[in-house]
Amino acid sequence: MKQVVVKNDLAAAKKPEEAILEAVRRFGYGENCTFAIKLALEEAVTNAFRHGNQKDPDKHITVRYEIDATKILIEIEDEGPGFDPGDVPDPTLPEYIDRPHGRGIMLMRAYLDTVEYIKGGCAVRLEMFRKE
Amino acid sequence: MAEQTSRLKVSEFDGMTIVEFSDRKILDELCIIEIQEELSRLVADKPGIRLILCFKTVEHLSSAALGMLITLRKKIEQGGGKLRLCDINTQIFEVFKITRLNKVFDIYPTIDQARNNF
């Protein structure tokens, strides 16, 4: 897998995000797939920056990816304490629907084939298989 | 006459305020904070605002942008105003449907339909 380590900065994280999207287009994945990967990357990187690394500029975000004609595999890792995704409430429940946060994981799960938290929740593994 | 700000194009029509986005992507935090600040100023200046947000130009939207819209809706309703969304493309409407926010927001297919009886 290719690996890129960037400072905990959303602008710095754009570079590996763009490289991944460029590879997704190069392997001929369609518009819907590109939309899904772009959305999932944004959500995963924002979670790493905000929740994992707590916006600490001295921490880093590690992006690993492997893209070929059959599948897209991405891992986003932060340097935070980790978390249990089971603790994140369902944002569609009436008591949470009006909250401004907490929809990122749900969106990633809706669009991708695999969203798996590893390393105690410090890293998320995103996987999408070619369907078209 | 439309007023062009850095992130939004704001115009008035028959007592309604219509806002179009300058960005095709409402994804990253900086962009969202700037949009939120501009919209908050607009709402604070016009208690009871009838605001239509037109998504015609928008191709990407993140969960942070959805959060910004939820906060905006609360502020508008607290001031006695109303918010309608319109012209949302199929891919972005799917994001609203997945999160069930299509049941929370007042969403219209076109700007003409959003203006009707508002």
Side-chain angles (χ1 to χ4, degrees):
Chain A
M1 285 175 92
K2 285 187 182 170
Q3 177 173 300
V4 184
V5 181
V6 295
K7 286 194 169 183
N8 191 44
D9 174 87
L10 290 175
K14 288 287 169 212
K15 201 173 174 184
E17 282 184 50
E18 283 163 11
I20 289 170
L21 290 169
E22 199 276 319
V24 167
R25 291 189 196 101
R26 194 170 64 245
F27 278 103
Y29 287 91
E31 194 187 328
N32 287 343
C33 178
T34 309
F35 179 90
I37 293 295
K38 194 176 182 73
L39 182 67
L41 271 173
E42 189 64 36
E43 301 296 343
V45 167
T46 300
N47 283 348
F49 165 76
R50 179 185 286 178
H51 302 297
N53 287 341
Q54 300 282 311
K55 299 186 181 180
D56 182 346
D58 293 328
K59 290 188 173 174
H60 298 83
I61 298 170
T62 302
V63 181
R64 295 182 205 91
Y65 61 98
E66 191 173 81
I67 298 163
D68 61 29
T70 60
K71 73 167 192 314
I72 299 163
L73 172 61
I74 302 163
E75 283 181 15
I76 309 289
E77 185 171 344
D78 60 58
E79 296 174 350
F83 80 111
D84 180 354
D87 291 340
V88 179
D90 179 349
T92 65
L93 292 173
E95 59 268 41
Y96 298 114
I97 193 88
D98 227 15
R99 287 194 180 180
H101 298 293
R103 293 178 177 81
I105 297 173
M106 179 190 206
L107 282 175
M108 289 191 283
R109 286 188 168 141
Y111 281 100
L112 302 185
D113 294 305
T114 308
V115 177
E116 182 188 7
Y117 280 88
I118 53 178
K119 301 185 181 183
C122 291
V124 62
R125 184 182 169 93
L126 311 171
E127 212 167 17
M128 193 171 196
F129 298 100
R130 185 173 215 118
K131 293 171 191 77
E132 67 257 5
Chain B
M1 178 98 180
E3 178 193 346
Q4 178 79 53
T5 63
S6 58
R7 296 284 188 187
L8 307 173
K9 194 169 112 181
V10 182
S11 58
E12 295 290 326
F13 178 85
D14 203 14
M16 294 170 253
T17 302
I18 296 161
V19 170
E20 290 174 55
F21 297 96
S22 307
D23 298 271
R24 287 187 300 120
K25 293 179 267 187
I26 308 178
L27 284 169
D28 69 72
E29 193 156 286
L30 179 63
C31 165
I32 290 165
I33 288 170
E34 288 180 3
I35 289 173
Q36 185 158 25
E37 284 173 355
E38 287 189 39
L39 287 171
S40 294
R41 279 198 297 274
L42 195 65
V43 170
D45 288 347
K46 293 181 181 175
I49 192 170
R50 285 180 290 151
L51 178 62
I52 298 173
L53 279 185
C54 177
F55 284 77
K56 193 174 184 175
T57 55
V58 180
E59 295 171 2
H60 290 278
L61 192 81
S62 66
S63 68
L66 295 175
M68 179 264 292
L69 293 174
I70 289 168
T71 303
L72 178 73
R73 177 176 161 271
K74 279 183 193 168
K75 280 185 187 168
I76 289 173
E77 291 184 352
Q78 281 164 4
K82 287 179 183 172
L83 173 66
R84 287 183 176 182
L85 313 183
C86 71
D87 238 326
I88 299 175
N89 80 26
T90 313
Q91 281 182 321
I92 293 181
F93 190 66
E94 190 63 25
V95 172
F96 279 85
K97 282 206 296 190
I98 290 165
T99 53
R100 298 194 195 163
L101 290 174
N102 59 319
K103 305 289 182 195
V104 171
F105 289 100
D106 220 0
I107 301 176
Y108 294 81
T110 67
I111 194 155
D112 286 341
Q113 286 165 288
R115 284 171 178 164
N116 197 24
N117 296 321
F118 193 27

